[in-house]
Amino acid sequence: MKMQWALIAGLVFALLTGIFAVINVDSVQVNLLFNTLQIPLILLILGCTLIGGIIVGSYGIYRQYRLQRENKQLKLRVSELESSATSKSTMDSFKSMDLPDSNESDSLLENDSIQSQRKGNPTGTL
């Protein structure tokens, strides 16, 4: 919706500039730093409007390019942070797993062998 209003405003401005330029067709003296020219006012008005449009358009393109570049850098940074967060959470989950200590595993094996011997297994294997 915003773009439609901007387009309409631009067209109205162009129409008013065109009408203003057509009304002013007299020749005027333009003083450049090194020379003086006599040109019709209509050309001066249209030329200045064109130069202003080019300047504003160039700035808009530059700003859009800069924002796209910044957006790309931020997306890369987000993906880096997400990958580091997932790897960190994976490492934390591995660290937080309850692994039996060597003393606990030895005592479990001894209990298993004692229970198996009581059941009639003389070798002590399962």
Side-chain angles (χ1 to χ4, degrees):
M1 189 70 168
K2 182 179 178 182
M3 287 298 293
Q4 291 173 346
W5 285 110
L7 181 64
I8 291 170
L11 290 174
V12 168
F13 178 73
L15 180 66
L16 291 175
T17 303
I19 292 171
F20 181 72
V22 170
I23 292 171
N24 295 299
V25 291
D26 299 332
S27 285
V28 293
Q29 183 177 0
V30 178
N31 188 7
L32 304 172
L33 292 176
F34 53 87
N35 198 5
T36 304
L37 296 175
Q38 287 281 4
I39 58 172
L41 188 57
I42 187 171
L43 293 179
L44 185 64
I45 293 170
L46 293 177
C48 289
T49 304
L50 180 65
I51 291 171
I54 290 171
I55 291 171
V56 169
S58 299
Y59 177 72
I61 291 170
Y62 168 72
R63 185 173 167 222
Q64 184 177 7
Y65 170 74
R66 193 179 71 208
L67 289 173
Q68 285 176 350
R69 189 176 64 193
E70 182 181 356
N71 191 14
K72 184 185 281 185
Q73 290 173 348
L74 290 174
K75 283 182 180 180
L76 287 173
R77 179 72 176 141
V78 166
S79 65
E80 288 173 1
L81 290 174
E82 285 176 345
S83 65
S84 68
T86 56
S87 65
K88 185 176 180 180
S89 66
T90 305
M91 294 298 275
D92 289 342
S93 66
F94 282 134
K95 288 179 182 177
S96 67
M97 291 178 78
D98 291 334
L99 297 176
D101 294 335
S102 61
N103 294 335
E104 289 179 5
S105 63
D106 291 341
S107 65
L108 288 175
L109 287 176
E110 288 176 10
N111 287 338
D112 285 343
S113 64
I114 291 171
Q115 288 176 1
S116 63
Q117 286 179 359
R118 288 183 184 162
K119 290 183 181 177
N121 187 357
T123 60
T125 61
L126 296 176

